[in-house]
Amino acid sequence: MSVLDIDFVRAQFPAFAEPSLEGQAFFENAGGSYTCRHVIDRLTRFYTQRKVQPYAPYEASRLGGEEMDEARARLAALMGVATDELSFGPSTTQNTYVLAQAFRKFMKPGEAIVVTNQDHEANTGPWRRLAEEGIEIREWQLDPQTGHLDVAHLETLLDEKVRLVCFPHCSNVVGEINPVAEITAMAHAAGAFVCVDGVSYAPHGLPNVDELGADIYLFSSYKTYGPHQGVMVIRRALGGLLPNQAHYFNAGDLYKRFTPAGPDHAQVAASAGMADYFEALAAHHGHSGTAAETGAFVHDLMRAHEVKLLQPLLDAVKDRNDVRLLGPAQAETRAPTVALALNRAAEPVAAQLAEFGIMTSGGDFYAVRALEAMGIDPAEGVLRISFTHYTSEAEVAKLIEALDRVL
């Protein structure tokens, strides 16, 4: 297994050479990552050279359309799915609302959807609203002490009425990585589709959606080194069943069926820069192979570095009697998104950390249901510390020292 070249990685992100950010360690990546230069370069090129209506026969328009198509094709290939199974929307939340409207017409009163209270509101609120149509909503509840979702509990919720199971790849406050392939197989065996919120997982390595078996996989490119877009994978078997949510004449194109508004041309095109970065990272570390193999290599490269840096942070906070660590204390089983309940308002503590050059924040992070279920007052919120593969060991050491000062 290759060891991540952190100097190479950080050289790909202009933020690390930005004078105004010098001396500050960024630990709010779960809210939005730094953007790699490949995306910035493509976005600049599109706005300066291609900012016309795409897909017309003249050169600037033709090239603009080709770059938009390139983004879909290359990201889909990295994730092991067909090009037309991946589409873009303005945000993951909005993509989920569009999907919920499709299921509103697809499902019948008396049928059921399973949701969790571990999710960000984006992958639970839109589905819960279908109760207005007579759809039964069943809640797969987390353990109030650990935040864990027990697969055995899900099994008790599944029967022939369930058409859809919605859950996170990992929670944006609990951080534990849920066994997507196992959950999906269980749901499919019961005759249900699955919708996986991958927003908090994808920044730590794009998954192979085909191997996971998920019918819907959602994530946000702006948290995955790219522009502000929501990325949505819908497998063809499900996408063809759901009613079209776009213009009637676009019903035949799977990637347009659930994108009712015109896409942001420049940001879609710039998303190809995410693939540029992943491929550059793989090549620098001596890897060559198919797109799906490259995606898997980069995933493992990122995760290994993050696990190495995460364990010392978990060790530093897990036994403190003045904070409560949400989720597992083992780095291998979670993402480097670490939420701490302080028994006081978290946001002022984040402000204190800023004085020591630590960029993070406090709040409920749209996971109000999860916090309430674990007995945490959403008004106080949690201090959330999140990083990715471009974080250095020195930054984590600086964070731990700062935490000792303010907690």
Side-chain angles (χ1 to χ4, degrees), residues 40-326:
I40 295 169
D41 290 347
R42 283 180 175 267
L43 193 61
T44 300
R45 182 174 69 188
F46 198 96
Y47 272 117
T48 53
Q49 300 177 29
R50 321 263 196 260
K51 192 63 179 72
V52 295
Q53 186 69 17
Y55 299 110
Y58 58 92
E59 183 78 347
S61 178
R62 179 181 63 79
L63 290 172
E66 287 177 359
E67 289 175 9
M68 292 172 66
D69 292 343
E70 178 191 355
R72 282 192 305 104
R74 292 176 66 198
L75 286 175
L78 285 168
M79 299 179 75
V81 299
T83 298
D84 67 345
E85 292 179 317
L86 186 145
S87 57
F88 294 90
S91 70
T92 294
T93 301
Q94 193 150 324
N95 284 343
T96 310
Y97 268 102
V98 172
L99 288 171
Q101 292 310 305
F103 272 90
R104 184 184 291 269
K105 299 295 184 184
F106 177 64
M107 294 179 64
K108 300 180 179 65
E111 293 182 330
I113 292 177
V114 174
V115 298
T116 86
N117 61 351
Q118 193 195 58
D119 275 276
H120 182 291
E121 190 64 15
N123 196 39
T124 187
W127 304 113
R128 291 171 188 265
R129 292 189 181 189
L130 298 191
E132 299 164 1
E133 306 297 324
I135 304 300
E136 181 187 354
I137 305 300
R138 301 179 183 178
E139 187 174 71
W140 181 12
Q141 296 179 350
L142 55 76
D143 183 294
Q145 299 301 315
T146 65
H148 175 70
L149 282 176
D150 188 347
V151 176
H153 180 202
L154 171 63
E155 197 165 14
T156 67
L157 298 174
L158 294 173
D159 58 28
E160 70 281 354
K161 291 183 178 180
V162 177
R163 302 301 305 276
L164 182 67
V165 177
C166 306
F167 64 97
H169 200 151
C170 71
S171 159
N172 69 327
V173 290
V174 176
E176 182 175 9
I177 298 169
N178 292 316
V180 175
E182 179 185 355
I183 295 168
T184 297
M186 183 183 293
H188 285 173
F193 296 107
V194 300
C195 176
V196 182
D197 176 0
V199 171
S200 293
Y201 186 88
H204 312 292
L206 292 179
N208 186 303
V209 176
D210 189 57
E211 291 178 357
L212 292 178
D215 303 291
I216 302 168
Y217 194 92
L218 306 157
F219 74 98
S220 299
S221 58
Y222 72 95
K223 299 183 179 183
T224 315
Y225 323 115
H228 199 112
Q229 289 286 280
V231 182
M232 176 166 52
V233 170
I234 306 179
R235 304 312 303 272
R236 189 174 292 115
L238 173 59
L241 291 175
L242 294 175
N244 173 40
Q245 299 299 299
H247 300 310
Y248 74 92
F249 45 78
N250 284 332
D253 292 319
L254 179 57
Y255 75 96
K256 293 181 179 179
R257 284 175 67 87
F258 307 102
T259 310
D264 187 316
H265 304 145
Q267 292 195 73
V268 170
S271 294
M274 297 158 63
D276 290 338
Y277 172 57
F278 294 140
E279 290 175 4
L281 198 55
H284 178 79
H285 290 84
H287 170 83
S288 61
T290 66
E293 290 168 347
T294 295
F297 176 85
V298 171
H299 172 283
D300 293 349
L301 188 68
M302 289 177 169
R303 281 291 297 152
H305 177 78
E306 291 174 349
V307 167
K308 178 184 175 185
L309 269 61
L310 178 57
Q311 194 59 56
L313 173 60
L314 296 174
D315 291 343
V317 298
K318 66 185 177 69
D319 295 325
R320 295 183 67 114
N321 58 16
D322 54 352
V323 301
R324 175 186 174 190
L325 169 66
L326 305 191

Side-chain angles (χ1 to χ4, degrees), residues 341-364:
L342 309 177
N343 292 317
R344 55 187 162 127
E347 193 169 345
V349 179
Q352 288 181 278
L353 286 170
E355 297 174 10
F356 295 99
I358 302 297
M359 295 188 285
T360 189
S361 65
D364 61 44

